[in-house]
Amino acid sequence: MRELNELKHLAIIMDGNGRWAQERGKQRVRGHEKGAETIREITMFCSKSDISFLTLYAFSTENWKRPKTEVDFLMRLLSDYLKKEAEVYLKNNIRFKAIGDLSRFSSRLLDEIETLTQKSASCSGLTQVLALNYGSKDEIIRATQKMIKAGVEVSEENLSRFLDTAFAPDVDMLVRTGGDYRLSNYLLWQSSYAELFFTPTLWPDFTAEELAIQIEEFKRRKRRFGGI
Ligand code: FPP
């Protein structure tokens, strides 16, 4: 039986890249670049812990509304990241997965996502999941459509099976950096009983040390899952 305070699935809303850059008189995209380094640090930390799944909100269904130059930069950064990180994933036994509606990405980016997914498919350590063109409402609608198409009963269990995250357990702990207190359409179904953590630290400044302190608090919290 699963222990109540076991941390199997950690989800993070990585917010504050733009402000981090602006505070330093830099262009917003420099914050995204630094944010990519934080992804590396946090992923390595998680891969050395007992955490099995780390799901990062990298690009939301709403992020397309940003200026084209920023969207283009994020796509290039993602593409570089997928290519450069392949070696690190394999060396550290990290499996890569992407969730979200990937159909909107370029065929080149889709190839890069697919290549890393395939290359790392047999890694048995941490699974790092990037949420790309992801929105929880969109995911629930897509899962419902698949459920209807498959002709299965509409139930909680079946919906979970048709979500993009079907391979992972529900989220145990959800962290949002950047000072805001909202979920921004992120893993709403999967986080029904997640413990929530909000920090004013901007994502580029977030560290494994701060995450370790939050995890200590997570372990002290009493999770009742609706019971007493
Ligand atoms: C929010 O900062 C951040 C995002 C748009 C998503 C996270 C993106 C990265 C960490 C960049 C690197 C990603 C990969 C996968 C290589 P914001 O721009 O909303 O910050 P603000 O609230 O200060 O404006």
Side-chain angles (χ1 to χ4, degrees):
M1 159 114 177
R2 204 174 152 193
E3 277 177 49
L4 291 186
N5 277 23
E6 218 178 358
L7 175 48
K8 284 286 152 215
H9 191 169
L10 168 67
I12 307 185
I13 301 175
M14 311 180 285
D15 198 15
N17 294 347
R19 277 166 286 161
W20 181 92
Q22 276 159 350
E23 278 174 8
R24 286 160 179 78
K26 297 179 181 189
Q27 287 178 307
R28 291 176 51 82
V29 294
R30 299 282 89 84
H32 296 315
E33 250 168 21
K34 185 74 169 53
E37 286 174 32
T38 308
I39 292 184
R40 292 186 181 98
E41 178 183 340
I42 297 301
T43 303
M44 287 316 296
F45 171 82
C46 292
S47 84
K48 290 181 170 49
S49 75
D50 291 339
I51 297 169
S52 307
F53 296 88
L54 169 67
T55 305
L56 301 169
Y57 208 177
F59 196 86
S60 78
T61 46
E62 284 72 38
N63 285 155
W64 299 103
K65 291 183 211 145
R66 294 185 177 210
K68 187 174 180 304
T69 45
E70 185 170 337
V71 171
D72 288 348
F73 185 90
L74 280 166
M75 295 301 137
R76 271 201 307 279
L77 193 61
L78 175 62
S79 163
D80 285 352
Y81 176 87
L82 294 169
K83 282 182 285 190
K84 276 198 213 138
E85 291 307 287
E87 217 178 299
V88 179
Y89 278 74
L90 301 182
K91 200 167 149 220
N92 292 282
N93 197 23
I94 299 170
R95 180 168 72 138
F96 171 80
K97 280 197 169 278
I99 58 168
D101 178 3
L102 304 181
S103 65
R104 206 165 156 185
F105 294 110
S106 69
S107 54
R108 211 177 98 192
L109 201 51
L110 284 177
D111 276 353
E112 287 159 358
I113 291 170
E114 188 53 26
T115 303
L116 186 52
T117 307
Q118 292 301 334
K119 268 192 186 168
S120 66
S122 58
C123 292
S124 55
L126 176 75
T127 299
Q128 188 222 49
V129 186
L130 288 188
L132 299 168
N133 190 28
Y134 177 86
S136 208
K137 290 184 176 181
D138 174 69
E139 182 196 26
I140 291 169
I141 294 294
R142 284 188 288 105
T144 308
Q145 285 164 345
K146 285 184 225 165
M147 210 164 36
I148 293 168
K149 203 169 166 200
V152 297
E153 183 201 349
V154 176
S155 65
E156 283 191 21
E157 203 191 336
N158 278 335
L159 183 64
S160 296
R161 283 204 300 125
F162 283 95
L163 288 172
D164 297 350
T165 52
F167 55 85
D170 275 354
V171 174
D172 298 300
M173 173 175 175
L174 189 145
V175 174
R176 180 179 187 131
T177 65
D180 285 322
Y181 299 89
R182 51 177 174 260
L183 295 177
S184 299
N185 201 14
Y186 191 47
L187 300 172
L188 301 178
W189 178 276
Q190 299 86 336
S191 298
S192 299
Y193 283 100
E195 294 294 323
L196 307 180
F197 289 76
F198 298 95
T199 170
T201 305
L202 304 175
W203 177 250
D205 286 331
F206 192 66
T207 58
E209 286 75 25
E210 183 168 358
L211 176 59
I213 292 167
Q214 291 172 330
I215 292 174
E216 282 308 307
E217 190 193 323
F218 168 85
K219 295 204 163 139
R220 284 195 299 271
R221 287 195 191 173
K222 282 203 163 47
R223 302 184 76 195
R224 290 189 295 275
F225 296 94
I228 53 170

